[in-house]
Amino acid sequence: MSNGVLVDISKCIGCRSCQTACRTWNDLPVKTSQNTNQWDVPVELDADTWTRVSCYLAGEGNERRWRFVKRQCMHCNEPACESACFTHSFLKTEEGPVIYKPTELNKDYCVGCRYCMIACPFNVPKFQYEKTFPYVQKCRFCYDRLLENERPACITACPTGALKYGDRQTLLAEARQRINSNSNYVKHIYGEKEYGGTSWMYISDVPFEQLGFKTSVSEKSIPSYTWQALKWTPYIFAGWGAMLTAMRFFTKPKEEGHNEAEMYAPVDPKE
């Protein structure tokens, strides 16, 4: 059973309890932030910030309203980070989380190439540039808690029920019921199909494009594009080998036409 989280943006009040719970449970260091005249602190995800709440003033006129969006790894059904990693340091588990083996399973395969960071369509994985022996860091979906049949720390800290954890298919059914029974909701479940589907899914009463979501994206997973290119590799190698063989076949008679003993005989200085 693959689990997921349904985020109801209309219920989030921006209290950031999820941020605090994530930092506390994962023992992430607290950083001193500077006054940027912005509500968003920190401004971006980083190696020590695995989830954050973004603030948006959406709508127009009397319909303008504040909305808050929790960001973290989306835990794709077919993760691009896993596909791009040639040391297999990432793994999509049966429970739903995409985990990083060097820290979750103490298997230090990562060589620091950071291809995972380039491949991720949501720009989530971050590198520990300041560390002597760095890792790639991101939300781990509290994998250790899931193995103990506990909910992720951020879910337990949400006071408004904006975050709901459970079986992904069950959550999808509930999301459809919510958006179809209330005309205020946008008739779309973000994460159901984007990039092949994700474990974290969102419903909202404000268009997703006004909340910083990428909306014009493919419903195919990133690894499926890779497969479209790589599936021709055997044919390319076979064709290249056949072409070299043919070239050898056509050039060989010319080589046999030379008298090699005459060509490579020592030069007589008297001549």
Side-chain angles (χ1 to χ4, degrees):
M1 181 180 72
S2 182
N3 294 318
V5 174
L6 177 61
V7 184
D8 190 335
I9 294 174
S10 68
K11 294 184 176 182
C12 182
I13 58 175
C15 67
R16 301 178 186 165
S17 296
C18 52
Q19 278 187 212
T20 304
C22 174
R23 193 173 295 280
T24 302
W25 179 257
N26 294 296
D27 197 22
L28 298 173
V30 177
K31 295 181 178 178
T32 302
S33 58
Q34 297 180 344
N35 184 11
T36 60
N37 292 324
Q38 297 183 39
W39 190 91
D40 294 1
V41 178
V43 178
E44 299 289 346
L45 296 175
D46 58 43
D48 297 324
T49 304
W50 298 350
T51 187
R52 59 182 291 271
V53 177
S54 302
C55 175
Y56 297 89
L57 184 57
E60 296 180 354
N62 294 331
E63 299 296 324
R64 287 175 72 83
R65 68 198 85 170
W66 289 100
R67 285 295 176 263
F68 308 94
V69 181
K70 181 182 181 303
R71 308 285 188 184
Q72 72 295 305
C73 174
M74 297 289 281
H75 296 274
C76 302
N77 293 340
E78 297 180 56
C81 57
E82 181 184 32
S83 176
C85 182
F86 62 87
T87 62
H88 303 292
S89 291
F90 286 92
L91 173 68
K92 176 69 175 180
T93 64
E94 294 180 355
E95 294 82 3
V98 177
I99 63 171
Y100 181 60
K101 290 180 181 176
T103 53
E104 294 293 336
L105 305 179
N106 197 27
K107 293 182 177 179
D108 192 7
Y109 298 144
C110 182
V111 297
C113 69
R114 285 161 275 170
Y115 287 165
C116 54
M117 297 169 61
I118 299 172
C120 177
F122 299 106
N123 191 29
V124 169
K126 303 300 179 186
F127 195 67
Q128 293 177 313
Y129 290 99
E130 72 282 3
K131 298 276 188 175
T132 305
F133 300 102
Y135 288 126
V136 174
Q137 299 283 62
K138 70 173 192 66
C139 164
R140 43 197 289 274
F141 211 155
C142 289
Y143 183 57
D144 51 346
R145 293 176 64 94
L146 301 193
L147 295 179
E148 298 295 330
N149 294 320
E150 296 183 23
R151 295 177 298 163
C154 58
I155 309 294
T156 63
C158 181
T160 64
L163 309 177
K164 185 170 184 177
Y165 170 77
D167 172 65
R168 185 176 185 273
Q169 294 304 317
T170 303
L171 292 176
L172 274 173
E174 179 173 339
R176 293 191 190 98
Q177 188 275 328
R178 287 196 203 181
I179 63 177
N180 290 329
S181 61
N182 189 333
S183 59
N184 291 328
Y185 281 109
V186 175
K187 307 305 179 189
H188 181 71
I189 305 171
Y190 193 92
E192 179 183 12
K193 297 179 180 178
E194 279 76 9
Y195 295 116
T198 60
S199 291
W200 280 71
M201 299 165 292
Y202 294 77
I203 57 176
S204 171
D205 59 346
V206 171
F208 287 103
E209 56 269 23
Q210 296 184 22
L211 301 174
F213 287 85
K214 295 179 180 178
T215 53
S216 300
V217 301
S218 172
E219 294 184 357
K220 296 174 63 176
S221 67
I222 300 297
S224 68
Y225 288 101
T226 308
W227 169 242
Q228 289 296 322
L230 292 180
K231 71 179 181 181
W232 296 107
T233 303
Y235 302 103
I236 294 174
F237 273 99
W240 181 249
M243 186 180 71
L244 292 178
T245 302
M247 292 174 63
R248 171 62 179 169
F249 177 79
F250 285 109
T251 57
K252 187 175 181 180
K254 296 180 180 178
E255 294 176 356
E256 289 178 346
H258 296 292
N259 186 333
E260 295 188 359
E262 181 181 341
M263 289 179 61
Y264 300 110
V267 177
D268 188 350
K270 297 180 180 179
E271 294 183 357

